[in-house]
C-alpha cells in the first residue's frame, strides 16, 4: 500500500496547479494521483468525500460524529476543500453539525459554501451565516417560503417530485464560475449526486474504529443483485491515521440506473 506524504513543496505545487500557475508532471506518485485530478481539472469536476469507521458508520445513533476521522483523515478532507471552488452539504448536515466548511488544517483558501435546503428548513441562525467566512449559497425550492440569510445568495429552483435536480444545482454553480465541487454530506445527498452520474471521484476515508451502529456514510437506492453494484476502479492509500479509497467513478458507468435523472430531496 502506498503512503500519501504531502510535503510543503508538493502542496505548494498543487495550490499553484489549482490557480493555473503550474502543470502536472509525471503523475505516478501518490500525492499527484490523488490530488492532481482535483487541482488540475480544466472544466467541471465533482468529488464526493466520506469519512467513516471500519463498519461504515459516520456517527453514533445519537449523532455524535466527533473524531470519526483521525487527524490525517481530517487533513485530507481540508485538502479537498482547499482545492475546490465550492463545497456542498444538505440541510440536515447544517442543522445537526453547524459546520464551518472552511480550510483550517492546511494552507489554502476556503471554498464557497453551498447548502441544499429544499423546503426552507434553515433558521438563519446557523453559524456559517454569521462567521465572516467564505460566501454562502443556499438552494431552495421555488415553493419554499422566501427569506434571506444575511449576505448569502439564495437560488430558487423548480422542484420535481423528488426534490431539486442535481444537474440544475451544478449548472447554477458553474454559471458563477464554480466548477470544481466537493459534495461532503450528508449520506443521501452524496448518493443522489452519484446516482445522477455527476460525481467523477469518490474518496472514502476509513478510520480504524468500530462504532457498531448509527448512520452510514452513503445511502444508495436499494439493489436486488450484486451484479447491479458499482465496481469503480479503486486505488488504496495510507493517509497515516486513516486509509483512503480513491474511487474513479468514470472508470465504470453506474449500473442499473444509468442515464436516469436523480434529484436531491430534503432531508439529506
Amino acid at each position: 500500500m502506498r503512503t500519501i506524504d504531502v510535503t510543503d513543496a508538493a502542496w505548494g505545487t498543487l495550490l499553484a496547479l489549482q490557480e493555473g500557475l503550474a502543470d502536472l508532471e509525471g503523475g505516478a506518485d501518490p500525492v499527484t494521483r490523488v490530488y492532481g485530478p482535483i487541482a488540475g481539472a480544466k472544466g467541471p469536476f465533482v468529488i464526493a468525500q466520506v469519512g467513516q469507521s471500519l463498519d461504515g458508520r459516520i456517527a453514533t445513533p445519537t449523532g455524535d460524529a466527533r473524531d470519526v476521522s483521525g487527524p490525517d483523515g481530517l487533513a485530507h478532507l481540508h485538502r479537498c476543500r482547499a482545492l475546490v471552488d465550492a463545497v456542498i452539504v444538505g440541510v440536515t448536515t447544517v442543522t445537526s453539525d453547524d459546520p464551518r466548511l472552511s480550510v483550517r488544517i492546511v494552507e489554502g483558501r476556503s471554498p464557497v459554501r453551498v447548502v441544499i435546503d429544499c423546503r426552507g428548513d434553515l433558521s438563519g441562525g446557523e453559524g456559517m451565516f454569521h462567521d465572516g467566512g467564505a460566501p454562502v449559497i443556499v438552494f431552495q425550492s421555488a415553493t419554499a417560503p422566501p427569506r434571506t440569510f444575511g449576505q448569502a445568495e439564495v437560488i430558487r429552483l423548480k422542484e420535481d417530485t423528488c426534490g431539486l435536480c442535481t444537474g440544475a444545482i451544478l449548472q447554477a454553480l458553474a454559471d458563477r464560475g464554480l466548477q470544481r465541487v466537493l459534495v461532503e454530506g450528508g449520506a443521501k445527498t452524496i448518493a443522489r449526486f452519484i446516482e445522477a452520474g455527476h460525481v467523477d471521484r469518490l474518496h472514502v476515508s476509513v478510520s480504524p474504529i468500530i462504532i457498531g451502529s448509527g448512520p452510514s456514510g452513503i445511502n444508495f437506492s436499494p439493489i436486488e443483485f450484486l451484479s447491479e453494484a458499482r465496481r469503480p476502479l479503486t486505488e488504496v492509500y495510507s493517509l497515516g491515521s486513516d486509509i483512503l479509497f480513491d474511487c474513479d467513478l468514470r472508470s465504470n458507468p453506474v449500473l442499473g440506473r444509468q442515464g436516469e435523472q436523480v434529484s436531491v430531496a430534503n432531508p439529506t
Side-chain angles (χ1 to χ4, degrees), residues 181-199:
V181 176
L182 168 63
V183 183
E184 190 172 317
K188 290 183 179 179
T189 297
I190 291 174
R192 288 184 172 118
F193 273 88
I194 292 176
E195 288 182 319
H198 291 144
V199 177

Side-chain angles (χ1 to χ4, degrees), residues 98-115:
D98 198 19
R100 294 172 60 183
L101 303 177
S102 59
V103 175
R104 304 182 300 278
I105 299 177
V106 302
E107 180 184 352
R109 57 176 173 79
S110 294
V112 173
R113 299 171 288 182
V114 179
V115 184

Side-chain angles (χ1 to χ4, degrees), residues 38 41-47 83-86 88 109 112 170-182 198 200:
I38 312 171
K42 301 300 183 184
F45 187 91
V46 180
I47 178 172
L83 293 176
V84 298
D85 304 314
I88 295 177
R109 57 176 173 79
V112 173
L170 292 173
Q171 184 59 58
L173 295 178
D175 290 343
R176 289 157 175 79
L178 308 173
Q179 297 205 84
R180 283 174 290 203
V181 176
L182 168 63
H198 291 144
D200 298 283

Side-chain angles (χ1 to χ4, degrees), residues 52-267:
Q52 65 182 40
S53 65
L54 283 173
D55 53 341
R57 310 294 179 177
I58 59 172
T60 67
T62 61
D64 181 10
R66 188 178 183 85
D67 299 329
V68 168
S69 295
D72 296 314
L74 286 174
H76 170 72
L77 172 60
H78 282 239
R79 291 188 198 108
C80 291
R81 287 179 184 172
L83 293 176
V84 298
D85 304 314
V87 54
I88 295 177
V89 294
V91 66
T92 301
T93 297
V94 176
T95 57
S96 299
D97 302 337
D98 198 19
R100 294 172 60 183
L101 303 177
S102 59
V103 175
R104 304 182 300 278
I105 299 177
V106 302
E107 180 184 352
R109 57 176 173 79
S110 294
V112 173
R113 299 171 288 182
V114 179
V115 184
I116 300 173
D117 179 25
C118 183
R119 296 184 178 87
D121 293 331
L122 291 171
S123 69
E126 292 79 11
M128 67 171 60
F129 298 125
H130 309 282
D131 62 8
V136 180
I137 297 175
V138 178
F139 282 95
Q140 292 186 332
S141 166
T143 60
R147 63 180 307 168
T148 58
F149 303 96
Q151 299 298 313
E153 179 182 7
V154 179
I155 300 175
R156 297 168 68 82
L157 300 175
K158 182 179 179 181
E159 181 182 2
D160 59 25
T161 56
C162 297
L164 302 182
C165 174
T166 56
I169 291 170
L170 292 173
Q171 184 59 58
L173 295 178
D175 290 343
R176 289 157 175 79
L178 308 173
Q179 297 205 84
R180 283 174 290 203
V181 176
L182 168 63
V183 183
E184 190 172 317
K188 290 183 179 179
T189 297
I190 291 174
R192 288 184 172 118
F193 273 88
I194 292 176
E195 288 182 319
H198 291 144
V199 177
D200 298 283
R201 299 294 269 265
L202 169 65
H203 284 185
V204 180
S205 175
V206 180
S207 178
I209 61 172
I210 299 174
I211 299 176
S213 59
S216 59
I218 309 177
N219 288 337
F220 288 119
S221 300
I223 61 173
E224 186 174 358
F225 303 104
L226 284 178
S227 60
E228 302 175 73
R230 294 162 178 78
R231 301 175 187 273
L233 179 65
T234 301
E235 296 185 348
V236 184
Y237 300 91
S238 171
L239 292 171
S241 63
D242 300 54
I243 301 298
L244 176 67
F245 291 80
D246 179 11
C247 308
D248 183 355
L249 299 188
R250 296 304 183 196
S251 66
N252 187 19
V254 175
L255 302 179
R257 302 182 67 180
Q258 185 176 2
E260 181 180 344
Q261 175 63 61
V262 182
S263 299
V264 174
N266 181 17

